[in-house]
Amino acid sequence: MEGLDALKISEDKKKYIVDLLNPVLEEMVAECIHRMPRDPVPFMLEWLEQKKVTEEDKQLSPEQKATVIAENMKLEEEIKRVRGQLQECSKLAAGDKNHDEQEEEDEDDDEPPPPDFENRAVPSKARGGVSAEAYGEYNKKKDFVAPVIAKTDEQKERLKAVLSKSFLFSSLEDNDFGIIIGAMKEVQVKAKERVIVQGDVGDFLFVIESGDFDCIVNTGGTEKVVKTCGSGDVFGELALLYNCPRAATVQAKGASVCWQLDRDTFNTIVKEAAQKKRDRYDAFLSKVPLLESMDAYERSQLADALVSEVFTDGQTVMKQGEVGKKFYILEEGAASALKNNTKVMDFGVGDYFGELALITDQPRAATVIAKGSCKMLSVDSRSFKRLLNVNDLLERSNKYK
């Protein structure tokens, strides 16, 4: 520890450097010198990741290793199966005109389905295979006609105000937005009424106009409220987006009003754009350290609340002393935090800030300036407090102090 004596750090930290940090750094540097990569940074990052995997592997028992290998084999088989289905979908979508004409002739000869076809129970987990649903959508897309449910002008204005708050609908083009408004049905919900039930097949999604709804997950026979939705929130969309059973039960806390949209209209008008945006945000959010403990459903709800904002070089994202109204996650680019005009921190992709003012209801503790062009994902104060674990954030929010 001779070289560390000049450092003004505690003995515990010196011991940590000697016993834990130095051995790893020396091994990594030796390997880097041996290989002499053109760009050492990616090499060292990959080496550290492999080091972590190796150390974790050493801690596994032979039985655990066998289990992991078996699970990996199952995953590889599942990937092969899904690839096959995607290839099948691609072939169907790329069919030539002769194939289309032949199918139209065949459809003319088909007998109409029985009257109770749409009300029949679905036998198992999902409505149908990926290829079956893609094939059906491909055939229907050209001649799809959305239902039109009569509404008063007052209802239309209310619905526009509700949909404009929603991630799924706010970015639709005017024509598509009008189709969605026409197709939605107003639903009056009683207190304690369960609008959707976990495990059921989903035919509709719902947008809340007024009232609060509890999202309840049944685990091992025990029901737990995992979140509460309010005005402008959407629920029931996961079953439509991913063709899977309902992920949770949703129950009204009191008398409420929501708007219902059918599966076919959603798939034809909304699904493709919404799913691409949600998948992109979900993939990004899963890499943010703060959100590692969130499951896929919780991340999808956060993704719905995100708003993308672009800032130019030198532009102020938030200002010290002002009232905090948003929480930010840096998606692209870089930024710096300044306190009393002195830089206290740099932010990179995946870093977040702005949480302190929202947690404590105090003015902003620092100013954040964009370094070059950057893109932020922001969440308003209401959604922030509803979707994120405030206690966890409070423990991490001492970086400005």
Side-chain angles (χ1 to χ4, degrees), residues 161-345:
V162 173
L163 295 184
S164 64
K165 302 176 185 177
S166 169
F167 151 84
L168 288 174
F169 306 104
S170 59
S171 59
L172 288 176
E173 295 181 1
D174 290 344
N175 184 54
D176 289 340
F177 195 74
I179 293 174
I180 293 299
I181 287 177
M184 297 193 86
K185 176 183 177 181
E186 184 174 358
V187 179
Q188 302 285 337
V189 185
K190 299 177 182 178
K192 303 299 182 183
E193 181 178 347
R194 295 195 163 188
V195 183
I196 64 175
V197 177
Q198 182 177 346
D200 284 357
V201 173
D203 287 319
F204 303 96
L205 66 75
F206 299 85
V207 183
I208 302 170
E209 178 180 352
S210 63
D212 293 319
F213 291 76
D214 285 332
C215 297
I216 304 167
V217 173
N218 189 318
T219 305
T222 302
E223 291 190 338
K224 179 182 178 182
V225 176
V226 294
K227 63 171 288 189
T228 299
C229 298
S231 176
D233 290 332
V234 179
F235 64 88
E237 78 287 358
L238 289 181
L240 277 59
L241 276 171
Y242 302 110
N243 194 32
C244 62
R246 297 295 196 191
T249 295
V250 178
Q251 176 178 291
K253 297 184 73 172
S256 308
V257 178
C258 54
W259 293 87
Q260 171 185 293
L261 182 66
D262 66 281
R263 170 186 284 269
D264 289 340
T265 304
F266 174 79
N267 283 348
T268 306
I269 306 298
V270 183
K271 180 177 179 179
E272 184 177 353
Q275 187 163 351
K276 284 181 180 178
K277 186 176 181 181
R278 171 175 279 182
D279 288 347
R280 180 167 64 87
Y281 282 174
D282 183 75
F284 174 74
L285 293 176
S286 66
K287 299 175 183 178
V288 177
L290 171 67
L291 310 177
E292 286 178 346
S293 62
M294 298 179 78
D295 60 28
Y297 178 74
E298 291 170 330
R299 282 200 309 272
S300 72
Q301 297 302 300
L302 178 57
D304 287 355
L306 293 174
V307 176
S308 180
E309 299 185 40
V310 177
F311 295 88
T312 57
D313 183 30
Q315 185 175 354
T316 300
V317 181
M318 66 183 205
K319 189 175 182 179
Q320 182 178 351
E322 68 181 5
V323 176
K325 296 181 180 180
K326 294 180 181 179
F327 165 67
Y328 295 92
I329 303 173
L330 187 54
E331 183 182 12
E332 296 178 8
S336 294
L338 295 86
K339 190 168 184 179
N340 300 324
N341 295 322
T342 301
K343 187 167 74 171
V344 294
M345 180 170 290

Side-chain angles (χ1 to χ4, degrees), residues 47-59:
W47 185 91
L48 288 170
E49 185 63 30
Q50 185 59 45
K51 176 76 172 176
K52 178 184 176 184
V53 171
T54 302
E55 294 299 323
E56 290 175 346
D57 188 60
K58 290 178 181 179
Q59 298 176 14

Side-chain angles (χ1 to χ4, degrees), residues 13 38 206 210 214 348 361 391:
K13 290 182 178 179
R38 178 167 299 187
F206 299 85
S210 63
D214 285 332
D361 291 323
N391 290 331

